[in-house]
Amino acid sequence: MASNDVVILGAGGAGLMCGIEAGRRGRSVIVVDHSEKVGGKILISGGGRCNFTNLSVAPKNYVSENEHFCKSAFARFTPQDFIQRVESHKIPYHEKTLGQLFCDDSAKRIVEMLKEDCQSAGVQIRTGCKVKGVKKHHGVFQVDTEAEVLEAESLVVATGGLSLPKLGATGIGYEIAKQFGLKLVERAPALDGFVLGPQDADLAQLAGVAVDCEVSCRGSLFREALLFTHRGLSGPVALQASLHWRPGSMIEINLSPDQHLFEWFREKKAQGSRMQVKNILSDLIPARVAEWLCSKYFESTEPLISVSEKELKKFCDRLHSWKLQPQGTVGYSKAEVTRGGVDTVELSSKTMESKKVPGLYFIGEVVDVTGWLGGYNFQWAWSSGWCAGQVV
Ligand SMILES: Cc1cc2nc3c(=O)[nH]c(=O)nc-3n(C[C@H](O)[C@H](O)[C@H](O)COP(=O)(O)OP(=O)(O)OC[C@H]3O[C@@H](n4cnc5c(N)ncnc54)[C@H](O)[C@@H]3O)c2cc1C
């Protein structure tokens, strides 16, 4: 039986950050992961360039049963703190859009940085090591792995969510929470886009076309690209909306966020335009989408000058507020994150320690704090990992 101060389950962003901080405090730390590679999700993130943080991180960028829970961690370890580390490792980066910071060359640089920091803090990392179970005996945690039993005063669960099982995602973090009597918030795949039902099957004709638009879902509004797929909707704006979606909810799409369509058509009409509506509309939105919308919602093939204002207004209103009812989201095979997880009422917002089970910590995606697309999920992994690392 090997004894350490701290055992961390999961060598993703949260687990490694926690290990570095605890190691720097002189604690003996072992990080265990069943995957062969550490930071598997970091490596594939951001299209291989890792969107490692966002310049403005606020509770409104997260979905959680308790929107205030994340505040303390973000105040203690900020995006600037992580950026300083990236700079001190001379990793070149750039702001892509909306405050999103990406590596210039490769996400590998972030994993190398974390591994180097672990090494200099004396943290042991054991990969290819499956965790079979955990128990607490006389105040000491025992982690039963395929190789050996590890003992520690502090056990940190950083096993992430259920998304991308082929990369090693498992539900063990949730099982451990349940085993120790901690409540869970219902989990669902998120940041995965939508599958549409049979009523919208004809939208598959638009597969591959992207449109810049606004999408709102249950009070949250996003503006980015929407991509039509064979099965539904993808692209950043659909991914964002899928985080807020619940079964049965509608999504509302504004296909012309910058131009008031009715006024715009009226002006063209006043100028005596003899073009068909679909052809005029294709000046604003991709022609295939304009044609599809007209074939579906605007029967008249008359030139604009002959179209009644009532008919035109009805069509324009629909395009500003096009409602669809997705059948579901795409699922864990494509989801960037898992929404829900260990209920934050169970944890200290300062340390991430369980209130019921001293010495047991949950950090990163396994906790019910789920960020928007845009670097927010990694910042949560860094900040929550850092907080636990100060005390484990
Ligand atoms: C395709 C994709 C792209 C993404 N891009 C971005 C991005 O650009 N920016 C951003 O902010 N977020 C991004 N995310 C989300 C981000 O990757 C996660 O939120 C973040 O990695 C969570 O970190 P974590 O340490 O909590 O969990 P993870 O990174 O999931 O780490 C958990 C670790 O636990 C290990 N583990 C699981 N079960 C066991 C077990 N039974 N025994 C031992 N080990 C186990 C896993 O192998 C894994 O290494 C992306 C996600 C995906 C899937």
Side-chain angles (χ1 to χ4, degrees):
M1 189 147 354
S3 211
N4 293 275
D5 295 327
V6 186
V7 173
I8 300 175
L9 308 183
L16 294 173
M17 176 58 88
C18 179
I20 293 163
E21 291 305 306
R24 285 179 179 172
R25 288 175 38 242
R27 305 286 279 164
S28 68
V29 182
I30 180 160
V31 186
V32 181
D33 201 299
H34 65 163
S35 298
E36 293 301 332
K37 278 188 198 160
V38 308
K41 280 205 183 142
I42 300 174
L43 293 171
I44 57 154
S45 66
R49 293 222 160 100
C50 187
N51 177 193
F52 56 80
T53 191
N54 194 294
L55 289 172
S56 87
V57 164
K60 74 170 171 50
N61 306 118
Y62 293 82
V63 170
S64 170
E65 294 279 288
N66 175 3
E67 61 181 281
H68 304 291
F69 181 81
C70 60
K71 280 184 189 164
S72 162
F74 289 142
R76 298 178 72 213
F77 189 79
T78 65
Q80 281 308 326
D81 292 324
F82 192 76
I83 293 166
Q84 261 174 27
R85 293 195 184 197
V86 168
E87 289 176 350
S88 71
H89 281 257
K90 303 201 168 16
I91 300 174
Y93 66 90
H94 60 279
E95 181 182 350
K96 197 169 167 195
T97 174
L98 308 168
Q100 301 169 0
L101 301 189
F102 285 75
C103 296
D104 284 356
D105 42 16
S106 165
K108 278 186 200 152
R109 299 292 301 275
I110 300 290
V111 175
E112 282 161 10
M113 171 183 98
L114 295 167
K115 278 164 76 176
E116 277 169 31
D117 286 354
C118 278
Q119 199 178 10
S120 46
V123 176
Q124 289 182 65
I125 301 178
R126 194 163 298 166
T127 52
C129 184
K130 192 165 178 182
V131 175
K132 294 200 289 190
V134 166
K135 61 182 179 216
K136 194 173 184 193
H137 192 61
H138 296 308
V140 174
F141 290 96
Q142 293 181 345
V143 179
D144 190 12
T145 74
E146 271 173 345
E148 62 184 322
V149 176
L150 301 168
E151 273 198 347
E153 272 170 36
S154 299
L155 177 66
V156 183
V157 181
T159 45
L162 297 166
S163 42
L164 294 207
K166 65 176 187 216
L167 266 193
T170 71
I172 193 168
Y174 309 123
E175 295 306 319
I176 295 171
K178 272 196 253 171
Q179 176 190 338
F180 285 98
L182 275 64
K183 278 194 266 176
L184 294 173
V185 171
E186 193 185 345
R187 283 132 291 145
L191 299 182
D192 51 345
F194 297 107
V195 175
L196 294 172
Q199 74 282 7
D200 298 307
D202 53 348
L203 264 171
Q205 293 164 28
L206 298 180
V209 183
V211 51
D212 169 32
C213 63
E214 278 176 359
V215 176
S216 57
C217 182
R218 299 174 71 249
S220 295
L221 177 85
F222 298 95
R223 167 127 187 218
E224 276 176 83
L226 178 76
L227 176 71
F228 295 95
T229 69
H230 289 286
R231 294 177 65 207
L233 305 171
S234 185
V237 76
L239 267 57
Q240 300 282 33
S242 69
L243 174 60
H244 298 268
W245 186 83
R246 299 291 183 278
S249 12
M250 309 285 287
I251 58 167
E252 194 171 315
I253 304 172
N254 180 354
L255 289 161
S256 177
D258 296 327
Q259 186 68 258
H260 189 282
L261 282 174
F262 182 56
E263 295 303 326
W264 185 72
F265 273 117
R266 266 176 122 184
E267 252 174 55
K268 307 260 172 208
K269 197 174 166 182
Q271 289 157 9
S273 173
R274 305 201 60 79
M275 283 168 77
Q276 281 185 16
V277 166
K278 67 176 180 189
N279 295 329
I280 302 175
L281 190 58
S282 62
D283 280 351
L284 283 184
I285 56 183
R288 272 172 68 193
V289 181
E291 196 168 335
W292 186 90
L293 289 164
C294 286
S295 70
K296 184 100 175 167
Y297 302 120
F298 190 78
E299 278 157 25
S300 170
T301 51
E302 299 286 306
L304 179 64
I305 195 159
S306 321
V307 174
S308 77
E309 295 224 330
K310 192 176 163 209
E311 199 183 355
L312 198 57
K313 172 118 186 9
K314 194 171 155 208
F315 181 59
C316 292
D317 286 350
R318 188 185 278 271
L319 267 47
H320 282 299
S321 168
W322 183 30
K323 294 186 181 64
L324 292 172
Q325 182 157 36
Q327 183 174 282
T329 69
V330 174
Y332 287 116
S333 63
K334 288 268 161 44
E336 290 209 0
V337 282
T338 301
R339 193 186 66 225
V342 177
D343 196 325
T344 57
V345 295
E346 302 282 5
L347 307 176
S348 150
S349 61
K350 192 167 175 211
T351 63
M352 308 295 141
E353 186 177 15
S354 159
K355 292 176 187 167
K356 284 187 189 133
V357 188
L360 179 63
Y361 298 78
F362 290 85
I363 56 173
E365 198 181 314
V366 72
V367 179
D368 171 38
V369 174
T370 313
W372 293 0
L373 194 74
Y376 300 103
N377 284 298
F378 278 133
Q379 188 57 44
W380 170 245
W382 318 135
S383 295
S384 57
W386 185 92
C387 287
Q390 308 311 307
V391 289
V392 286

Short mmCIF file of all heavy atoms in Angstrom, two decimals, residues 249-273:
data_model
loop_
_atom_site.label_atom_id
_atom_site.label_comp_id
_atom_site.label_asym_id
_atom_site.label_seq_id
_atom_site.Cartn_x
_atom_site.Cartn_y
_atom_site.Cartn_z
N SER A 249 -38.27 22.37 -24.89
CA SER A 249 -38.18 23.82 -25.15
C SER A 249 -38.00 24.12 -26.63
O SER A 249 -37.54 23.29 -27.40
CB SER A 249 -37.11 24.56 -24.35
OG SER A 249 -36.22 23.76 -23.70
N MET A 250 -38.38 25.35 -26.96
CA MET A 250 -38.23 25.85 -28.33
C MET A 250 -36.92 26.63 -28.41
O MET A 250 -36.44 27.15 -27.40
CB MET A 250 -39.34 26.85 -28.69
CG MET A 250 -40.74 26.41 -28.43
SD MET A 250 -41.32 25.22 -29.64
CE MET A 250 -41.56 26.23 -31.06
N ILE A 251 -36.41 26.77 -29.62
CA ILE A 251 -35.36 27.76 -29.84
C ILE A 251 -35.90 28.78 -30.84
O ILE A 251 -36.76 28.44 -31.65
CB ILE A 251 -34.03 27.14 -30.34
CG1 ILE A 251 -34.23 26.37 -31.64
CG2 ILE A 251 -33.42 26.24 -29.29
CD1 ILE A 251 -32.92 26.01 -32.31
N GLU A 252 -35.40 30.00 -30.73
CA GLU A 252 -35.90 31.06 -31.62
C GLU A 252 -34.71 31.65 -32.36
O GLU A 252 -33.70 32.01 -31.75
CB GLU A 252 -36.57 32.12 -30.75
CG GLU A 252 -37.40 33.07 -31.56
CD GLU A 252 -38.22 33.97 -30.65
OE1 GLU A 252 -38.84 33.49 -29.68
OE2 GLU A 252 -38.19 35.19 -30.92
N ILE A 253 -34.84 31.72 -33.68
CA ILE A 253 -33.72 32.17 -34.51
C ILE A 253 -34.08 33.49 -35.18
O ILE A 253 -35.14 33.61 -35.78
CB ILE A 253 -33.41 31.10 -35.60
CG1 ILE A 253 -33.13 29.74 -34.93
CG2 ILE A 253 -32.24 31.53 -36.48
CD1 ILE A 253 -33.00 28.57 -35.89
N ASN A 254 -33.17 34.46 -35.04
CA ASN A 254 -33.34 35.73 -35.77
C ASN A 254 -32.36 35.68 -36.94
O ASN A 254 -31.15 35.80 -36.75
CB ASN A 254 -33.04 36.90 -34.84
CG ASN A 254 -33.21 38.23 -35.56
OD1 ASN A 254 -33.43 38.26 -36.78
ND2 ASN A 254 -33.09 39.33 -34.81
N LEU A 255 -32.90 35.51 -38.13
CA LEU A 255 -32.04 35.33 -39.30
C LEU A 255 -31.49 36.64 -39.86
O LEU A 255 -30.65 36.62 -40.76
CB LEU A 255 -32.82 34.60 -40.40
CG LEU A 255 -33.08 33.12 -40.09
CD1 LEU A 255 -34.22 32.58 -40.93
CD2 LEU A 255 -31.82 32.29 -40.32
N SER A 256 -31.97 37.75 -39.33
CA SER A 256 -31.46 39.04 -39.80
C SER A 256 -31.28 39.99 -38.62
O SER A 256 -32.04 40.94 -38.45
CB SER A 256 -32.42 39.62 -40.84
OG SER A 256 -31.96 40.89 -41.25
N PRO A 257 -30.27 39.72 -37.79
CA PRO A 257 -30.15 40.52 -36.56
C PRO A 257 -29.78 41.99 -36.81
O PRO A 257 -30.07 42.84 -35.98
CB PRO A 257 -29.03 39.82 -35.76
CG PRO A 257 -28.48 38.75 -36.62
CD PRO A 257 -29.27 38.64 -37.88
N ASP A 258 -29.17 42.30 -37.95
CA ASP A 258 -28.72 43.68 -38.16
C ASP A 258 -29.69 44.51 -39.01
O ASP A 258 -29.55 45.72 -39.08
CB ASP A 258 -27.35 43.69 -38.87
CG ASP A 258 -26.28 43.05 -38.02
OD1 ASP A 258 -26.36 43.18 -36.78
OD2 ASP A 258 -25.38 42.39 -38.58
N GLN A 259 -30.58 43.85 -39.67
CA GLN A 259 -31.42 44.57 -40.63
C GLN A 259 -32.89 44.31 -40.31
O GLN A 259 -33.30 43.15 -40.24
CB GLN A 259 -31.08 44.03 -42.03
CG GLN A 259 -31.73 44.73 -43.18
CD GLN A 259 -31.23 46.15 -43.35
OE1 GLN A 259 -31.91 47.07 -42.96
NE2 GLN A 259 -30.03 46.32 -43.90
N HIS A 260 -33.66 45.39 -40.11
CA HIS A 260 -35.09 45.22 -39.89
C HIS A 260 -35.72 44.87 -41.24
O HIS A 260 -35.84 45.71 -42.14
CB HIS A 260 -35.69 46.50 -39.31
CG HIS A 260 -37.09 46.33 -38.86
ND1 HIS A 260 -38.14 46.30 -39.74
CD2 HIS A 260 -37.62 46.13 -37.64
CE1 HIS A 260 -39.26 46.10 -39.07
NE2 HIS A 260 -38.96 45.99 -37.79
N LEU A 261 -36.09 43.60 -41.39
CA LEU A 261 -36.44 43.10 -42.73
C LEU A 261 -37.64 43.79 -43.36
O LEU A 261 -37.62 44.13 -44.55
CB LEU A 261 -36.72 41.59 -42.66
CG LEU A 261 -35.49 40.69 -42.59
CD1 LEU A 261 -35.92 39.25 -42.38
CD2 LEU A 261 -34.68 40.80 -43.88
N PHE A 262 -38.68 44.03 -42.58
CA PHE A 262 -39.89 44.60 -43.17
C PHE A 262 -39.59 45.99 -43.74
O PHE A 262 -39.96 46.33 -44.87
CB PHE A 262 -41.01 44.63 -42.13
CG PHE A 262 -42.31 45.15 -42.67
CD1 PHE A 262 -42.91 44.57 -43.79
CD2 PHE A 262 -42.95 46.23 -42.06
CE1 PHE A 262 -44.12 45.06 -44.29
CE2 PHE A 262 -44.15 46.72 -42.55
CZ PHE A 262 -44.73 46.13 -43.67
N GLU A 263 -38.85 46.80 -42.93
CA GLU A 263 -38.50 48.16 -43.40
C GLU A 263 -37.63 48.07 -44.65
O GLU A 263 -37.78 48.84 -45.60
CB GLU A 263 -37.72 48.92 -42.30
CG GLU A 263 -38.51 49.20 -41.03
CD GLU A 263 -39.79 49.98 -41.32
OE1 GLU A 263 -39.77 50.81 -42.25
OE2 GLU A 263 -40.80 49.70 -40.65
N TRP A 264 -36.74 47.11 -44.65
CA TRP A 264 -35.80 46.94 -45.75
C TRP A 264 -36.55 46.57 -47.04
O TRP A 264 -36.33 47.17 -48.09
CB TRP A 264 -34.82 45.84 -45.35
CG TRP A 264 -33.68 45.56 -46.27
CD1 TRP A 264 -32.59 46.35 -46.47
CD2 TRP A 264 -33.50 44.41 -47.09
NE1 TRP A 264 -31.74 45.76 -47.35
CE2 TRP A 264 -32.27 44.56 -47.76
CE3 TRP A 264 -34.25 43.27 -47.32
CZ2 TRP A 264 -31.77 43.61 -48.65
CZ3 TRP A 264 -33.75 42.32 -48.20
CH2 TRP A 264 -32.52 42.49 -48.86
N PHE A 265 -37.51 45.62 -46.93
CA PHE A 265 -38.30 45.23 -48.10
C PHE A 265 -39.19 46.40 -48.56
O PHE A 265 -39.39 46.60 -49.75
CB PHE A 265 -39.18 44.01 -47.78
CG PHE A 265 -38.47 42.70 -47.98
CD1 PHE A 265 -38.25 41.83 -46.93
CD2 PHE A 265 -38.05 42.30 -49.25
CE1 PHE A 265 -37.62 40.62 -47.11
CE2 PHE A 265 -37.42 41.07 -49.45
CZ PHE A 265 -37.20 40.24 -48.38
N ARG A 266 -39.72 47.13 -47.57
CA ARG A 266 -40.60 48.26 -47.93
C ARG A 266 -39.87 49.29 -48.78
O ARG A 266 -40.40 49.83 -49.75
CB ARG A 266 -41.10 48.94 -46.67
CG ARG A 266 -42.42 48.43 -46.22
CD ARG A 266 -42.76 49.11 -44.95
NE ARG A 266 -44.01 49.81 -45.04
CZ ARG A 266 -44.48 50.56 -44.06
NH1 ARG A 266 -43.76 50.73 -42.97
NH2 ARG A 266 -45.64 51.15 -44.17
N GLU A 267 -38.61 49.53 -48.36
CA GLU A 267 -37.80 50.48 -49.13
C GLU A 267 -37.61 50.00 -50.57
O GLU A 267 -37.76 50.77 -51.52
CB GLU A 267 -36.41 50.60 -48.51
CG GLU A 267 -36.17 51.89 -47.78
CD GLU A 267 -34.82 51.85 -47.08
OE1 GLU A 267 -33.80 51.60 -47.75
OE2 GLU A 267 -34.81 52.04 -45.84
N LYS A 268 -37.31 48.71 -50.70
CA LYS A 268 -37.10 48.14 -52.04
C LYS A 268 -38.40 48.23 -52.85
O LYS A 268 -38.39 48.48 -54.04
CB LYS A 268 -36.69 46.66 -51.96
CG LYS A 268 -35.52 46.39 -51.07
CD LYS A 268 -34.25 46.23 -51.86
CE LYS A 268 -33.07 46.16 -50.93
NZ LYS A 268 -31.84 46.61 -51.43
N LYS A 269 -39.51 48.01 -52.12
CA LYS A 269 -40.80 48.05 -52.80
C LYS A 269 -41.09 49.47 -53.29
O LYS A 269 -41.53 49.68 -54.43
CB LYS A 269 -41.88 47.58 -51.81
CG LYS A 269 -43.17 47.20 -52.47
CD LYS A 269 -44.14 46.61 -51.47
CE LYS A 269 -45.51 46.57 -52.13
NZ LYS A 269 -46.55 46.08 -51.29
N ALA A 270 -40.78 50.44 -52.40
CA ALA A 270 -41.00 51.84 -52.77
C ALA A 270 -40.15 52.23 -53.99
O ALA A 270 -40.53 53.10 -54.77
CB ALA A 270 -40.68 52.74 -51.58
N GLN A 271 -39.00 51.54 -54.12
CA GLN A 271 -38.14 51.83 -55.29
C GLN A 271 -38.66 51.11 -56.54
O GLN A 271 -38.06 51.19 -57.60
CB GLN A 271 -36.70 51.39 -55.00
CG GLN A 271 -35.98 52.25 -53.98
CD GLN A 271 -34.82 51.50 -53.32
OE1 GLN A 271 -34.45 50.39 -53.73
NE2 GLN A 271 -34.26 52.10 -52.28
N GLY A 272 -39.76 50.34 -56.39
CA GLY A 272 -40.39 49.67 -57.54
C GLY A 272 -39.74 48.36 -57.93
O GLY A 272 -39.81 47.96 -59.10
N SER A 273 -39.10 47.67 -56.93
CA SER A 273 -38.40 46.43 -57.28
C SER A 273 -39.35 45.38 -57.88
O SER A 273 -40.41 45.08 -57.32
CB SER A 273 -37.72 45.84 -56.04
OG SER A 273 -37.20 44.59 -56.37
#
